[in-house]
C-alpha cells in the first residue's frame, strides 16, 4: 500500500478541476450571461438585467450544488455496494431503492388519478412519495438481510424487488392518461435544476449524514475486500457492518432519488473510473476520491445536458448513460485487467 | 432441388401476403365536396355510392385509405376499389376519440354511438347521459381496445384513430368483419381545418347539408372575429405552457395553439419557431425571454395561482403572475374532470378565438362570455 501522502497531487488536481467545472457549469447555459456579470452576482452585486440575477442565484447555483451532491452521493453509494457485494457491476440501485422510489412516485402521479383522487403535485410531494417507496423496499431488504447469511442472496432479492415494483409501475402506466404518463416519464429522466434552496439544504444534510456513516464504516469496508470469512477473522461483525452499509446506501441513494429522480450510471461507473486514476482499493483514499470524481463528472454531464447557447435541454439521464454505458461495456470487455 | 422448392414456397407466400394492387376507379367523374381548410380527406359523390379518401390518418402516413359508402343491399359498379365498405345510414357505431363526439352531437346522431374506449374521458353532457344509462359500452383503452366486447356489439363501423399504422386491435376488428374507418382530425394543423372534419362524418348519416351549414357558421364567426383582431396594432406579448421539473413545455410556433394566439392579435413570443408540436425548453431561456410578457395562457393543468406557486416558486418571477394575467382552459371541465378544451375545442375554434380576443383586447368583444379560457383562481 502506498503512503497516503503520495495521493496529494491527484487530490489537489481533482479539487482544482472541481472548482473549474463548477465555474464553467454556472457560466454556461441557454442564456448567454457574460462571465464578468456572473462574478459580480456571486459577490453580491447586481447585473444589468433582473432575469440574469434570478437565473444565476435561483436556478444555476442550486443546480450546480445539486449536481455536486448527487454526483458525490451516488458515487459513494456505488462504491459501498460494489465492495459489499464484491461485484464490479453493483451500483447504488441494486437493492431496488430506485425501483421503490419509482413505485412511490408512480402511485402518486398515476395511482391517485386512477382512483379518482387529484393530489396537487409539488416538489415536496414527489420527494415524500419517492422516500416512502424506497423506504418500504429498504425495510424489506433489511429484514431479509437479518435472516440471510449469504450476501449474494441479498443482491438477488434486491433485484427481485426491483422486478416486482417495475411490474406494478407498468400496470399503473397502462391505465393512466397521457398527461400523467408524461409527468412520470419526466420524473424518471432525472432533473437537477428543480430544487429550491430549502430542498437543497435538506439534500445536503442527507448526503452529509450518508458520508459520515460511510467514514464510520471505512475499516469494515477495507476488511470486506478480502472476503467475508477473512473479515470475520479480523473481528468485523459482518451482519452489523452489512446493515450499516445498506442503511448508508439507502440514505444516499434514496434521498438523491427523492429530489433529483433516478439518475443512472454515475454510481456504477465512477468508482471504477476512480480506481483507474488512483490505482488503489483502499477505501480511505477511494472514499474522498469518488466524491470528487462523482461531483466533477456530474457537473460536466449537466453542462452538456444544458446544451449551452441553445434553448433546448437534454435529460440528465441521457447524458449520464452516454458517459456511463461505454464505461460498463469497456469494463465487461476488460474484466480481467480490472483493479477491483 | 430443395432450394428451388423453398424459393417457390417463399415467393408464393410473399405473393399471397402482399396487398393486391388497387385497380383504377371507373372513368365516371363524380362530384367532389368542397373542402376549404382540411387537407387530410376528400369526399366524392357518384350516382350509386360516395367515396371518402383519407390521406393523412396519422402524421407522415404513406398509405391512403379509401372508404366506399352505399345504401344497404346496393351493388357497386365493377372495378371500384376500397379499404372498407360501409352501408349507410349508419345505425350503430363506435368512435375512439372524444374529439369525434361534438361532431356527432352537432349532426344530431349521438344516439347511434354504442361503444367508446375509456368512457371516463367523455365530458359532453348529452353523451355522458348515454354512458351513465349504459347505452354506450366502455371498450378499454384506444391502444388496446377490448376486441371481444366490441365484436359483441356488432357496430356498423368503428371510427378509429391511430398514432401510426401499428394498431393491432384495429386489424383484429377488421378481420371480424366490422369496417374500420380512420379519422385524422388530430393531424390537421389549422383551427378551421380541424373543425372541417365534421364534413367527414356527414356522409355516413346522409347529413351533408347539415354539416355544411354548421361548418359555414363556424367559419364565418371565426373569420369575422379574426378580422376584428387583425386591425389592432397593439399586440400584447404572450407566454404559454408550464414546466415539468425544469423543462418548460410550450406550443411550437406553427402549432394549432400558436395559430389561435396569432389570429387573436397576440404576439406569441415563440411564433418564429418552425415546430408544429411542442417545444421543450430550458427554464432559464423561457425566463429570459418571457419574464415581462403581458399574458400567460394555458399553464397546462394548473387552476390557481396558489397551485402554480406551490409547484414551483420560479413561476412567481413572471410578470403575468404578478399582474394576475394568467388564463387557463383547465377550469372548464366535464362531470368526470375531462377538459372540454380538448374535446369540444377542435370542433369550435370560433369560441376559442373569441375567448382569446376577449382576453388580449377586452374592448373588441365586450359582450363575449369566455367559455374555455378563464382567469386562474387566487
Amino acid at each position: 500500500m502506498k503512503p497516503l501522502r503520495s495521493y496529494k497531487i491527484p487530490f489537489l488536481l481533482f479539487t482544482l478541476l472541481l472548482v473549474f467545472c463548477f465555474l464553467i457549469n454556472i457560466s454556461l447555459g441557454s442564456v448567454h450571461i457574460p462571465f464578468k456579470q456572473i462574478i459580480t452576482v456571486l459577490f453580491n452585486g447586481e447585473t444589468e438585467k433582473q432575469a440574469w440575477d434570478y437565473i444565476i442565484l435561483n436556478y444555476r447555483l442550486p443546480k450546480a450544488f445539486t449536481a455536486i451532491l448527487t454526483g458525490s452521493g451516488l458515487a459513494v453509494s456505488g462504491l459501498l455496494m460494489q465492495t459489499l457485494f464484491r461485484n464490479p457491476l453493483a451500483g447504488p440501485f441494486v437493492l431496488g431503492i430506485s425501483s421503490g422510489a419509482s413505485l412511490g412516485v408512480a402511485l402518486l402521479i398515476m395511482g391517485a388519478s386512477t382512483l379518482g383522487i387529484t393530489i396537487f403535485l409539488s416538489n415536496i410531494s414527489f420527494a415524500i412519495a419517492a422516500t416512502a417507496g424506497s423506504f418500504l423496499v429498504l425495510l424489506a431488504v433489511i429484514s431479509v438481510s437479518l435472516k440471510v447469511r449469504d450476501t449474494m442472496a441479498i443482491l438477488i432479492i434486491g433485484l427481485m424487488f426491483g422486478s416486482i415494483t417495475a411490474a406494478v409501475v407498468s400496470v399503473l402506466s397502462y391505465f393512466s392518461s397521457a398527461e400523467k404518463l408524461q409527468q412520470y416519464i419526466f420524473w424518471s429522466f432525472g432533473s437537477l435544476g428543480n430544487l429550491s434552496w430549502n430542498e437543497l439544504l435538506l439534500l445536503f444534510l442527507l448526503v452529509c449524514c450518508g458520508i459520515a456513516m460511510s467514514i464510520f464504516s471505512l475499516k469494515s469496508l477495507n476488511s470486506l475486500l478480502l472476503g467475508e470469512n477473512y473479515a470475520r477473522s479480523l473481528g468485523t461483525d459482518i451482519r452489523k457492518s452489512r446493515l450499516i452499509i445498506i442503511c448508508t446506501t439507502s440514505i444516499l441513494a434514496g434521498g438523491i432519488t427523492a429530489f433529483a429522480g433516478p439518475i443512472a450510471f454515475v454510481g456504477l461507473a465512477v468508482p471504477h473510473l476512480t480506481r483507474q486514476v488512483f490505482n488503489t482499493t483502499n477505501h480511505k483514499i477511494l472514499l474522498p476520491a469518488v466524491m470528487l470524481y462523482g461531483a466533477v463528472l456530474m457537473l460536466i454531464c449537466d453542462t452538456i445536458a444544458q446544451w449551452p447557447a441553445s434553448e433546448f435541454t437534454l435529460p440528465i439521464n441521457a447524458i449520464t448513460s452516454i458517459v456511463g454505458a461505454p464505461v460498463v461495456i469497456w469494463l465487461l470487455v476488460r474484466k480481467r485487467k480490472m483493479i477491483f | 432441388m430443395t432450394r428451388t422448392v423453398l424459393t417457390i414456397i417463399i415467393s408464393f407466400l410473399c405473393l399471397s401476403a402482399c396487398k393486391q394492387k388497387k385497380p383504377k376507379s371507373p372513368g365516371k367523374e363524380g362530384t367532389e365536396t368542397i373542402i376549404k381548410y382540411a387537407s387530410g380527406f376528400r369526399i366524392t359523390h357518384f350516382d350509386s355510392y360516395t367515396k371518402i379518401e383519407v390521406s393523412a390518418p396519422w402524421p407522415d402516413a404513406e398509405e391512403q385509405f379509401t372508404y366506399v359508402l352505399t345504401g344497404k343491399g346496393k351493388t357497386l359498379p365493377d372495378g371500384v376499389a376500397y379499404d372498407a365498405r360501409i352501408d349507410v345510414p349508419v345505425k350503430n357505431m363506435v368512435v375512439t376519440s372524444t374529439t369525434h363526439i361534438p361532431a356527432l352531437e352537432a349532426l344530431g346522431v349521438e344516439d347511434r354511438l354504442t361503444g367508446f374506449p375509456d368512457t371516463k374521458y367523455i365530458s359532453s353532457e348529452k353523451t355522458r347521459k348515454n354512458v351513465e344509462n349504459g347505452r354506450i359500452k366502455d371498450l378499454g383503452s384506444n391502444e388496446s381496445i377490448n376486441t371481444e366486447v366490441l365484436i359483441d356489439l356488432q357496430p356498423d363501423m368503428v371510427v378509429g384513430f391511430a398514432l401510426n399504422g401499428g394498431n393491432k386491435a384495429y386489424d383484429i376488428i377488421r378481420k371480424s368483419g366490422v369496417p374500420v374507418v380512420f379519422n385524422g382530425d388530430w393531424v390537421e394543423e389549422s383551427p378551421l381545418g380541424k373543425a372541417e372534419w365534421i364534413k367527414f362524418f356527414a356522409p355516413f348519416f346522409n347529413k351533408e347539408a347539415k354539416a355544411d351549414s354548421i361548418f359555414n357558421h363556424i367559419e364565418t364567426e371565426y373569420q369575422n372575429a379574426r378580422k376584428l383582431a387583425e386591425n389592432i396594432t397593439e399586440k400584447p406579448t404572450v407566454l404559454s405552457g408550464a414546466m415539468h421539473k425544469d423543462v418548460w413545455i410550450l406550443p411550437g410556433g406553427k402549432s394549432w395553439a400558436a395559430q389561435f394566439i396569432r389570429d387573436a392579435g397576440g404576439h406569441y413570443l415563440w411564433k418564429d419557431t418552425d415546430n408544429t408540436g411542442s417545444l421543450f425548453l430550458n427554464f432559464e431561456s423561457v425566463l429570459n425571454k418571457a419574464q415581462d410578457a403581458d399574458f400567460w395562457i394555458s399553464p397546462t393543468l394548473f387552476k390557481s395561482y396558489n397551485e402554480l406557486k406551490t409547484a414551483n416558486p420560479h413561476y412567481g418571477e413572471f410578470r403575468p403572475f404578478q399582474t394576475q394575467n394568467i388564463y387557463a382552459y383547465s377550469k372548464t371541465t366535464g362531470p368526470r374532470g375531462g377538459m372540454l378544451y380538448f374535446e369540444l375545442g377542435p370542433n369550435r375554434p370560433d369560441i376559442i378565438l373569441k375567448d382569446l380576443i376577449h382576453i388580449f383586447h377586452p374592448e373588441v368583444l365586450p359582450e363575449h362570455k369566455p367559455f374555455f379560457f378563464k382567469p386562474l383562481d387566487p
Side-chain angles (χ1 to χ4, degrees):
Chain A
M1 212 183 261
K2 281 197 255 180
L4 298 189
R5 273 197 316 276
S6 59
Y7 293 103
K8 261 194 182 147
I9 289 168
F11 271 119
L12 190 71
L13 283 175
F14 262 93
T15 314
L16 287 175
L17 190 62
L18 179 68
V19 175
F20 176 74
C21 287
F22 179 81
L23 286 174
I24 290 285
N25 183 275
I26 55 171
S27 44
L28 290 178
S30 301
V31 178
H32 175 70
I33 304 175
F35 192 67
K36 243 192 184 151
Q37 303 272 10
I38 288 170
I39 299 298
T40 313
V41 172
L42 292 185
F43 290 98
N44 258 342
E46 277 195 3
T47 58
E48 54 203 62
K49 203 173 163 186
Q50 197 201 338
W52 289 0
D53 294 356
Y54 190 85
I55 287 170
I56 297 164
L57 290 177
N58 292 298
Y59 180 67
R60 286 191 193 174
L61 266 184
K63 186 159 64 65
F65 285 129
T66 310
I68 291 173
L69 290 174
T70 48
S72 345
L74 288 172
V76 169
S77 52
L79 176 71
L80 296 183
M81 288 294 103
Q82 287 175 4
T83 303
L84 177 67
F85 293 120
R86 277 179 304 136
N87 183 330
L89 296 176
F93 300 134
V94 285
L95 297 177
I97 288 166
S98 74
S99 337
S102 309
L103 179 62
V105 169
L107 279 170
L108 173 76
I109 298 176
M110 305 189 276
S113 67
T114 316
L115 300 171
I117 314 162
T118 41
I119 303 170
F120 207 76
L121 304 175
S122 66
N123 249 350
I124 290 290
S125 60
F126 273 99
I128 292 170
T131 312
S134 45
F135 187 69
L136 277 178
V137 172
L138 169 77
L139 275 185
V141 171
I142 286 181
S143 57
V144 168
S145 80
L146 294 173
K147 286 206 170 62
V148 176
R149 274 188 64 95
D150 186 6
T151 309
M152 285 305 153
I154 301 174
L155 182 62
I156 302 287
I157 286 163
L159 288 171
M160 290 301 123
F161 279 125
S163 311
I164 297 169
T165 48
V168 177
V169 170
S170 62
V171 170
L172 283 171
S173 315
Y174 184 83
F175 286 110
S176 86
S177 68
E179 294 104 20
K180 301 279 172 197
L181 264 179
Q182 192 180 34
Q183 249 177 341
Y184 176 73
I185 297 282
F186 264 80
W187 177 82
S188 70
F189 281 159
S191 150
L192 301 174
N194 200 30
L195 270 69
S196 65
W197 284 106
N198 289 338
E199 289 157 351
L200 192 63
L201 181 67
L202 198 54
L203 178 65
F204 176 73
L205 293 174
L206 283 171
V207 172
C208 283
C209 172
I211 285 164
M213 283 166 76
S214 37
I215 291 171
F216 180 76
S217 318
L218 277 176
K219 195 165 155 258
S220 51
L221 281 166
N222 275 340
S223 61
L224 275 172
L225 284 175
L226 308 165
E228 286 187 19
N229 292 333
Y230 197 87
R232 269 195 200 95
S233 68
L234 285 176
T236 310
D237 179 347
I238 292 286
R239 277 197 188 181
K240 194 175 141 199
S241 39
R242 201 159 68 179
L243 192 66
I244 292 172
I245 291 169
I246 288 176
C247 285
T248 310
T249 303
S250 333
I251 288 172
L252 286 170
I256 289 166
T257 309
F259 285 107
I263 290 177
F265 275 122
V266 176
L268 172 68
V270 169
H272 292 296
L273 293 166
T274 313
R275 285 189 204 99
Q276 296 295 332
V277 174
F278 284 80
N279 205 354
T280 178
T281 53
N282 180 0
H283 284 79
K284 284 178 185 161
I285 306 296
L286 276 181
L287 188 78
V290 293
M291 282 170 60
L292 278 172
Y293 209 132
V296 166
L297 187 75
M298 209 64 198
L299 282 170
I300 293 172
C301 285
D302 177 61
T303 310
I304 298 170
Q306 292 307 320
W307 214 242
S310 93
E311 291 187 318
F312 299 99
T313 168
L314 292 165
I316 188 76
N317 254 344
I319 306 295
T320 51
S321 302
I322 285 168
V323 175
V327 171
V328 176
I329 293 166
W330 167 81
L331 279 176
L332 283 169
V333 172
R334 292 194 26 184
K335 210 164 172 208
R336 303 224 166 148
K337 292 188 182 171
M338 219 164 46
I339 302 160
F340 187 73
Chain B
M1 179 64 205
T2 37
R3 267 176 73 173
T4 332
V5 173
L6 267 178
T7 319
I8 290 168
I9 290 174
I10 288 170
S11 20
F12 176 76
L13 282 175
C14 277
L15 279 173
S16 54
C18 288
K19 233 181 157 177
Q20 285 181 340
K21 271 251 164 66
K22 291 176 194 168
K24 278 240 162 51
S25 58
K28 274 190 82 177
E29 289 297 310
T31 46
E32 227 179 280
T33 300
I34 298 167
I35 307 285
K36 285 166 80 173
Y37 303 92
S39 53
F41 72 102
R42 286 169 60 192
I43 301 176
T44 322
H45 294 277
F46 297 90
D47 291 343
S48 57
Y49 67 99
T50 301
K51 183 169 77 173
I52 301 182
E53 291 160 291
V54 177
S55 56
W58 47 81
D60 311 319
E62 294 196 348
E63 42 191 328
Q64 170 169 317
F65 292 89
T66 306
Y67 306 115
V68 169
L69 287 56
T70 57
K72 217 177 171 89
K74 285 220 169 133
T75 48
L76 282 174
D78 284 342
V80 177
Y82 52 81
D83 291 287
R85 175 183 165 162
I86 297 98
D87 293 336
V88 292
V90 168
K91 297 258 183 327
N92 158 8
M93 68 189 298
V94 165
V95 302
T96 48
S97 161
T98 52
T99 56
H100 303 161
I101 288 170
L104 300 183
E105 289 186 356
L107 295 171
V109 291
E110 70 277 2
D111 54 338
R112 321 257 173 113
L113 187 62
T114 54
F116 186 87
D118 258 337
T119 49
K120 66 169 182 281
Y121 293 124
I122 298 178
S123 298
S124 150
E125 262 175 58
K126 270 188 190 170
T127 307
R128 200 64 252 164
K129 260 199 205 105
N130 288 341
V131 172
E132 306 303 345
N133 66 24
R135 277 189 72 149
I136 299 175
K137 294 269 179 302
D138 196 303
L139 307 171
S141 78
N142 183 55
E143 287 306 305
S144 55
I145 289 183
N146 187 328
T147 353
E148 289 187 18
V149 178
L150 189 137
I151 291 169
D152 184 51
L153 280 178
Q154 280 299 311
D156 299 336
M157 70 160 174
V158 172
V159 179
F161 87 92
L163 302 178
N164 51 43
N167 193 320
K168 289 270 183 299
Y170 290 137
D171 293 342
I172 301 169
I173 296 165
R174 226 182 273 119
K175 286 196 183 100
S176 77
V178 175
V180 174
V181 172
F182 282 115
N183 174 312
D185 60 358
W186 61 283
V187 185
E188 228 44 79
E189 276 151 16
S190 74
L192 286 168
K194 271 189 205 287
E196 200 164 17
W197 277 77
I198 190 171
K199 293 180 181 174
F200 163 91
F201 282 102
F204 294 102
F205 314 100
N206 300 328
K207 300 236 178 212
E208 287 90 331
K210 191 167 184 179
D212 278 356
S213 78
I214 291 168
F215 181 73
N216 291 342
H217 167 76
I218 291 172
E219 181 197 12
T220 313
E221 291 288 306
Y222 189 95
Q223 297 294 19
N224 290 347
R226 191 179 61 83
K227 285 193 187 94
L228 287 176
E230 211 171 28
N231 302 326
I232 305 168
T233 43
E234 279 286 303
K235 294 202 184 317
T237 49
V238 182
L239 157 72
S240 185
M243 277 191 276
H244 273 292
K245 297 284 158 200
D246 60 338
V247 179
W248 199 297
I249 304 181
L250 64 173
K254 300 281 179 288
S255 67
W256 182 67
Q259 291 179 51
F260 279 116
I261 301 174
R262 183 198 61 207
D263 287 355
H267 171 82
Y268 180 44
L269 290 161
W270 284 268
K271 69 178 172 52
D272 298 330
T273 52
D274 282 335
N275 208 303
T276 54
S278 300
L279 296 167
F280 296 77
L281 305 180
N282 169 313
F283 162 74
E284 55 182 65
S285 74
V286 175
L287 182 76
N288 195 43
K289 197 172 206 164
Q291 185 172 22
D292 296 327
D294 297 311
F295 292 99
W296 176 354
I297 60 161
S298 321
T300 60
L301 311 176
F302 293 101
K303 290 191 168 99
S304 72
Y305 288 94
N306 201 3
E307 281 180 2
L308 272 173
K309 192 83 184 169
T310 316
N312 200 324
H314 292 328
Y315 289 135
E317 289 303 301
F318 289 84
R319 200 174 68 170
F321 186 98
Q322 293 150 4
T323 56
Q324 306 254 307
N325 264 324
I326 307 181
Y327 295 84
Y329 51 66
S330 51
K331 286 174 65 190
T332 310
T333 54
R336 293 292 299 275
M339 297 194 189
L340 279 161
Y341 176 77
F342 294 111
E343 176 172 317
L344 182 62
N347 290 269
R348 293 306 304 272
D350 53 326
I351 303 179
I352 295 182
L353 184 70
K354 285 179 189 172
D355 279 5
L356 291 179
I357 293 175
H358 184 80
I359 291 166
F360 300 156
H361 309 288
E363 72 289 354
V364 176
L365 294 169
E367 297 301 299
H368 177 73
K369 280 235 171 347
F371 178 76
F372 293 113
F373 283 96
K374 292 177 181 161
L376 285 194
D377 296 331

